[in-house]
Amino acid sequence: MAPASFNPISNTVCVMDASGNLGLSLVQRLLQRGYMVHAAVQNHNCELQLNGLSCENKKLKIFDADPFDYKSIIAALRSCSGLFYTFEPPEDQPTYDESMTEVEVRAAHNVLEACAQTETIDKVVFTSSATAVIWREDRKSEIADFDERHWSDINFCRKFKLWHALSKTLAEKTTWALAMDRGVNMVSVNAGLLVSPDLSIKNPYLTGAAELYEDGVFVTVDLNFLVDAHICIYEDVSSYGRYLCFNHVVNRHEDAIELASMLTPAAPPPPQSFDQDVKIIQQRISNKKLNELMVGFESGSQLVD
């Protein structure tokens, strides 16, 4: 349940981009909690699903919002007290490569600038990634566990062509700098690998997955938990800064096998050994900050009428 002191300017929020699994699920959950929702999409295939929801729920409005069209962003944000922002690659550029970095940074900058220009916006929940935390040259020598204070090293990401990590790191750093400069109340969610029905071996998060596993920092998150985390962070007035978000650590051989079978169901299972079966890699990443915030959060409760 949200704290009693939670008092937004209005109960209208915007979800941008509502085209992906996270965005669509956020829209559905926010409607269930009683919010008025502006669903901003750039993927017209997803708009068909949202149209079905809007027919059933008068609290949902759908907006065509291109993150490179400033006016369309402003229109979607109008009268909203909050924004849930998650980047979805453009349909004509679905692959993460070096050029995606500029695309994601520009989109994030435009959205945050639009928030700064929208007087009703009280809080922004920005979806980032754990890959903006864990990729560093010195990650093996770090004495303390990785947490929200760590940032991936930009030069390291470029050197090893970790384009997903580079894009997420630069986009998040850009938005933090702009938020602080323009006085926008922003909180970021640094999510682990999202486990959803469409997860495939092509997911850019998986670049360097073997190294993440060996280093004890390979983490995943279920869609429901990720949605709950976003809403809890928005509703709790004490939330601040960055939050690593995951609810599973891949640090056992059987975990890795299970994930591999999900990613490549047609491939034969790898040979196993007793040593591998019993080995547990020490977890070296912490989500303590988020877990403490979410104590007592009731995902099924209705916040507003």
Side-chain angles (χ1 to χ4, degrees):
M1 181 179 294
S5 54
F6 177 69
N7 186 28
I9 295 173
S10 75
N11 68 342
T12 303
V13 295
C14 179
V15 177
M16 183 187 303
D17 187 333
S19 303
N21 283 322
L22 175 57
L24 185 58
S25 295
L26 273 168
V27 169
Q28 293 170 328
R29 192 74 61 81
L30 288 163
L31 289 172
Q32 290 169 3
R33 290 177 77 80
Y35 286 95
M36 296 280 293
V37 179
H38 290 187
V41 299
Q42 57 175 327
N43 182 339
H44 295 284
N45 292 328
C46 176
E47 193 170 341
L48 296 175
Q49 295 175 274
L50 289 167
N51 279 329
L53 280 175
S54 64
C55 292
E56 302 169 6
N57 198 315
K58 301 304 180 184
K59 291 188 173 184
L60 174 63
K61 293 183 179 180
I62 303 170
F63 293 79
D64 287 321
D66 183 340
F68 304 108
D69 179 357
Y70 189 74
K71 290 183 179 179
S72 71
I73 302 172
I74 289 288
L77 292 177
R78 188 169 292 120
S79 79
C80 290
S81 62
L83 168 68
F84 296 86
Y85 175 73
T86 179
F87 175 77
E88 291 290 335
E91 288 185 293
D92 60 352
Q93 193 178 359
T95 304
Y96 261 88
D97 53 23
E98 190 171 10
S99 63
M100 184 64 79
T101 300
E102 181 182 353
V103 173
E104 186 160 356
V105 169
R106 283 177 54 211
H109 183 278
N110 289 346
V111 171
L112 257 292
E113 181 59 38
C115 287
Q117 296 290 342
T118 304
E119 292 184 359
T120 55
I121 290 291
D122 182 59
K123 194 171 192 177
V124 176
V125 181
F126 180 89
T127 309
S128 185
S129 172
T131 60
V133 174
I134 52 185
W135 283 113
R136 303 163 56 92
E137 190 84 55
D138 61 354
R139 70 184 186 281
K140 294 180 184 294
S141 60
E142 281 283 337
I143 298 175
D145 289 344
F146 281 88
D147 61 22
E148 292 81 4
R149 294 169 294 183
H150 292 89
W151 284 91
S152 291
D153 183 272
I154 291 170
N155 293 328
F156 181 87
C157 293
R158 280 203 177 98
K159 179 180 178 181
F160 292 98
K161 299 182 179 180
L162 299 164
W163 305 130
H164 182 270
L166 180 65
S167 294
K168 296 301 180 185
T169 304
L170 287 175
E172 190 186 348
K173 284 194 170 188
T174 296
T175 52
W176 274 119
L178 186 58
M180 288 186 283
D181 180 62
R182 308 286 274 114
V184 176
N185 178 19
M186 187 182 98
V187 184
S188 69
V189 182
N190 293 79
L193 174 67
L194 176 58
V195 177
S196 60
D198 63 350
L199 179 63
S200 77
I201 194 68
K202 295 181 180 180
N203 191 300
Y205 188 109
L206 292 165
T207 304
E211 288 83 357
L212 297 181
Y213 171 71
E214 292 166 2
D215 295 340
V217 294
F218 191 2
V219 292
T220 66
V221 62
D222 296 331
L223 182 57
N224 285 336
F225 184 81
L226 184 58
V227 170
D228 282 350
H230 277 73
I231 295 175
C232 175
I233 286 168
Y234 176 70
E235 293 180 355
D236 196 317
V237 293
S238 69
S239 64
Y240 69 96
R242 309 168 83 203
Y243 286 87
L244 271 166
C245 180
F246 59 89
N247 59 349
H248 184 65
V249 182
V250 182
N251 63 345
R252 299 179 302 169
H253 184 65
E254 62 186 81
D255 298 332
I257 294 297
E258 182 180 350
L259 181 60
S261 65
M262 185 188 306
L263 297 171
T264 54
Q272 297 185 6
S273 70
F274 178 75
D275 289 342
Q276 286 179 317
D277 289 342
V278 299
K279 182 180 180 182
I280 299 178
I281 296 172
Q282 181 181 353
Q283 177 180 336
R284 297 187 59 244
I285 185 169
S286 171
N287 59 350
K288 179 180 178 181
K289 183 182 177 187
L290 178 63
N291 287 341
E292 291 178 346
L293 186 77
M294 293 186 69
V295 170
F297 175 73
E298 299 176 10
S299 63
S301 64
Q302 182 167 319
L303 178 69
V304 291
D305 297 321

